[in-house]
Amino acid sequence: MGEFELIRHYFAAAPCAQVGEGVVQGIGDDCALLAVPAGEQLAISTDTLVAGVHFPDPCDPFLLGQRALAVAASDLAAMGATPIGFTLALTLPHAEPVWLEGFARGLNRMAQGCGLTLLGGDTTRGPLSLTLTVFGRVPAGQALTRKGAQPGELLCVGGPLGDGAAALPLVLGQQQEAPEIAAPLLARYWSPEPQLSLGLALRGKASAALDVSDGLLADCGHIATASGVALRVERDKLPLSSAVRALLDEAAAWQCALSGGDDYVLAFTLPAEHLSALQADGWPIQVIGRVEEGQGVQLVDRAGQAITPPARGYQHFGSGGD
Amino acid sequence: MGEFELIRHYFAAAPCAQVGEGVVQGIGDDCALLAVPAGEQLAISTDTLVAGVHFPDPCDPFLLGQRALAVAASDLAAMGATPIGFTLALTLPHAEPVWLEGFARGLNRMAQGCGLTLLGGDTTRGPLSLTLTVFGRVPAGQALTRKGAQPGELLCVGGPLGDGAAALPLVLGQQQEAPEIAAPLLARYWSPEPQLSLGLALRGKASAALDVSDGLLADCGHIATASGVALRVERDKLPLSSAVRALLDEAAAWQCALSGGDDYVLAFTLPAEHLSALQADGWPIQVIGRVEEGQGVQLVDRAGQAITPPARGYQHFGSGGD
């Protein structure tokens, strides 16, 4: 048995590969088989992470395993889908037991936290990269897409913005900070929590949703375009974590919140009548603006005056990466 | 818009991305959405192809697009699944229009031939590799797995064996041959035809099935292990194409047929009572052996004497690749 065949057996024996609900056939045949309950649809999303483009190389394999699955699962949260499972295509230069053991532990931990079963995949020799495809289920017609926002609704987010971008210099070792500042930001970067429960709570309530991965303004642009509306973002209402406030001045914090990426909190539009009940249930929802007639995204200050936003979007952490 | 964002728009506009049957949401949201008919299950398979490990680099992008999807779709054929769609995770060093145009044409052609809709994916910068995840549907309980073979049944294949391995020196430019010999082998290598229709015809008839990708003996070993039976393979019954017969002497042809890979024909076990009806319907089924009590795979000659098989399995085309 070759070393890569051994890796396949290793993953097949991992705790997260034990067949979960809805999984008829897991690892070990030509295909996995999923049972989708009558009246439900299957949600599917694929993400690739390349060493040196999407994560530093080398990095802690436990953290990489955790983060890779969290980033993929966040797309299920954004659709309001209940997690089922995932496939892992892992390409690596050579099979190193210590690396694999750490990676599998991180993957297991996030998989079990999210309720995702490892269904199969492929392990190949080559430059380090990972492609994860995640699967969830959602009642027909109840998926949260990007295209239902209506003028008059609220624009909301599910948590603080800017942590991902603020963490980046720490992740890359370009900046050192005291542990009480660095630790929460590094945790947010390496172990983002996909807002799966919030996604479920928003089913039938939010009119459009996505997860903030490219930066708030760029992602709001996706909702505005898909829904054929304008989104007005009030800069002073952006929720910032205490770690970001401690690390950065106000202008830099806003820039991270508006144009950084990797936050993986949900951004969504909501008819105002649903807000108080959701907040009363304890969901950490922050209103940051409003849906209007028109198109595009407008950033305004406290007085309602338009502000030219900082550079939009986010090209991952490497220069020129995609 | 960055060059990789442009690629995403390019694929979203491809003919094979036009929403097909069962596809509720294609490219353009956080997740794709599939409707799986009541009483059916979803079959899923993932394959990664790495440049220099699984295909020569450089190579014709049209042929690569065609082959990558065919290899993935072959796993749907092996389960007896009706194709629905696929995701494409494409990592490439830079966005080169001529390359992309060729690749997309090859992908489109195979997608339309197989009835597969491009549902989404990811495009990233990095060393050239592709991960395709394919989706199909199959009535609950009717998927062809590896584990139902019973002693007394026939062992069959759906077409000639050894073409993939015999083509390899031609693909790699290590050997030149007259076009009438080289052309059919190169065609089999670059454009294998996933036996999707045969897979459907075998539903409810074949007791175990897979597609021959690792080499016949290695793949028969998978059925034997999963089913808890022995498989007896009769060497002289192995179907060989006229191109393989023209290119190789008998011993080399058998070696390619037994231990080469990349044939992507179905191998399956079949209760004998189904054979004549399937052959009468025109399916190119060849009986190559029998299921017996026991374990493992035994190769025998015309007289029924055991033969020591050549080296098993197949480590892709590169040395030490996986």
Side-chain angles (χ1 to χ4, degrees):
Chain A
M1 198 183 288
E3 60 176 324
F4 281 70
E5 191 65 20
L6 280 170
I7 298 175
R8 285 169 209 132
H9 283 260
Y10 183 76
F11 280 114
C16 64
Q18 302 322 300
V19 166
E21 195 191 334
V23 181
V24 179
Q25 166 74 54
I27 293 176
D29 217 297
D30 292 283
C31 292
L33 290 172
L34 293 186
V36 180
E40 305 217 356
Q41 295 171 341
L42 195 83
I44 302 166
S45 178
T46 294
D47 281 285
T48 297
L49 301 177
V50 179
V53 179
H54 304 95
F55 59 90
D57 185 23
C59 71
D60 181 324
F62 174 85
L63 296 175
L64 178 62
Q66 227 182 24
R67 175 171 160 80
L69 188 55
V71 166
S74 184
D75 284 317
L76 295 179
M79 293 300 270
T82 304
I84 300 176
F86 68 106
T87 59
L88 167 68
L90 175 62
T91 299
L92 67 180
H94 47 86
E96 203 206 297
V98 173
W99 192 95
L100 280 165
E101 191 273 330
F103 179 79
R105 269 196 307 119
L107 198 72
N108 267 318
R109 181 155 153 184
M110 189 55 69
Q112 294 185 316
C114 292
L116 286 163
T117 300
L118 178 58
L119 299 171
D122 200 359
T123 310
T124 50
R125 187 187 303 276
L128 180 61
S129 77
L130 304 88
T131 295
L132 288 101
T133 302
V134 291
F135 304 97
R137 57 188 172 80
V138 62
Q142 289 193 35
L144 305 173
T145 70
R146 300 175 175 187
K147 57 173 171 259
Q150 297 284 342
E153 294 175 343
L154 305 174
L155 174 63
C156 306
V157 291
L161 297 165
D163 285 9
L168 208 52
L170 305 170
V171 169
L172 296 174
Q174 294 165 348
Q175 188 179 341
Q176 267 72 43
E177 293 293 334
E180 63 272 20
I181 292 178
L185 290 173
L186 288 169
R188 272 291 300 269
Y189 184 88
W190 282 115
S191 184
E193 288 184 26
Q195 295 194 298
L196 292 157
S197 302
L198 176 58
L200 297 184
L202 293 176
R203 271 191 201 161
K205 299 189 177 70
S207 56
L210 45 59
D211 63 322
V212 178
S213 55
D214 294 340
L216 180 70
L217 291 177
D219 286 319
C220 283
H222 298 322
I223 291 179
T225 301
S227 297
V229 297
L231 295 185
R232 180 182 169 95
V233 177
E234 298 177 51
R235 185 190 60 187
D236 293 74
K237 292 190 174 168
L238 300 177
L240 303 171
S241 69
S242 54
V244 160
R245 288 181 188 279
L247 183 68
L248 301 173
D249 66 27
E250 196 169 57
W254 279 335
Q255 167 127 19
C256 285
L258 289 166
S259 301
D262 287 336
D263 283 323
Y264 303 107
V265 298
L266 299 189
F268 51 96
T269 56
L270 190 72
E273 66 264 28
H274 293 307
L275 180 65
S276 55
L278 285 165
Q279 288 179 328
D281 286 346
W283 297 110
I285 296 175
Q286 307 277 336
V287 178
I288 61 162
R290 190 167 283 276
V291 186
E292 298 183 339
E293 304 271 358
Q295 58 183 14
V297 180
Q298 191 184 27
L299 183 66
V300 299
D301 66 13
R302 200 169 310 184
Q305 296 298 306
I307 307 166
T308 302
R312 287 197 183 188
Y314 176 61
Q315 297 284 314
H316 297 285
F317 80 73
S319 57
D322 262 284
Chain B
M1 197 182 285
E3 61 176 322
F4 280 70
E5 190 66 19
L6 280 170
I7 299 175
R8 287 172 208 129
H9 284 259
Y10 183 77
F11 280 114
C16 62
Q18 302 322 302
V19 165
E21 194 192 335
V23 181
V24 179
Q25 166 75 53
I27 293 177
D29 217 298
D30 292 283
C31 292
L33 290 172
L34 292 186
V36 180
E40 304 218 356
Q41 295 171 342
L42 196 83
I44 302 166
S45 178
T46 294
D47 281 285
T48 296
L49 300 177
V50 179
V53 178
H54 303 95
F55 58 90
D57 184 24
C59 71
D60 182 324
F62 174 84
L63 297 175
L64 178 63
Q66 225 182 27
R67 175 171 160 81
L69 188 55
V71 167
S74 183
D75 284 317
L76 295 179
M79 293 301 270
T82 303
I84 301 176
F86 68 106
T87 60
L88 167 68
L90 176 62
T91 299
L92 67 177
H94 47 88
E96 204 206 295
V98 172
W99 192 95
L100 280 165
E101 192 273 330
F103 179 80
R105 269 196 306 119
L107 199 71
N108 267 319
R109 179 152 156 188
M110 189 55 69
Q112 294 185 316
C114 293
L116 286 163
T117 299
L118 177 58
L119 300 170
D122 201 359
T123 311
T124 52
R125 187 187 302 277
L128 180 61
S129 78
L130 306 87
T131 295
L132 288 102
T133 303
V134 290
F135 305 96
R137 57 188 172 79
V138 62
Q142 289 193 35
L144 305 173
T145 69
R146 300 175 175 187
K147 59 174 172 260
Q150 297 284 342
E153 295 175 342
L154 306 174
L155 174 63
C156 307
V157 291
L161 297 166
D163 285 8
L168 208 53
L170 305 170
V171 169
L172 296 174
Q174 294 166 349
Q175 189 179 341
Q176 268 75 41
E177 293 293 335
E180 63 273 20
I181 293 178
L185 291 172
L186 287 169
R188 272 291 299 268
Y189 184 89
W190 282 116
S191 184
E193 286 184 28
Q195 297 195 296
L196 292 157
S197 301
L198 176 58
L200 297 184
L202 293 177
R203 273 190 199 162
K205 299 189 177 70
S207 55
L210 46 59
D211 63 322
V212 178
S213 55
D214 294 341
L216 179 72
L217 291 177
D219 286 318
C220 283
H222 298 321
I223 291 179
T225 302
S227 297
V229 296
L231 294 185
R232 179 184 170 95
V233 177
E234 297 176 52
R235 185 189 61 187
D236 293 75
K237 292 191 174 168
L238 299 177
L240 301 171
S241 69
S242 54
V244 160
R245 288 181 188 276
L247 184 68
L248 301 173
D249 65 27
E250 195 168 61
W254 280 334
Q255 167 128 17
C256 285
L258 290 166
S259 301
D262 289 335
D263 282 324
Y264 304 106
V265 298
L266 300 188
F268 51 96
T269 56
L270 189 72
E273 67 263 29
H274 293 307
L275 180 65
S276 55
L278 285 164
Q279 286 179 328
D281 286 345
W283 297 111
I285 296 175
Q286 306 278 334
V287 178
I288 60 162
R290 190 167 282 277
V291 187
E292 299 183 340
E293 304 271 357
Q295 58 184 13
V297 180
Q298 192 186 26
L299 183 65
V300 299
D301 66 13
R302 199 170 308 186
Q305 295 299 305
I307 308 166
T308 302
R312 284 195 187 192
Y314 177 59
Q315 297 286 313
H316 297 287
F317 81 71
S319 56
D322 261 283

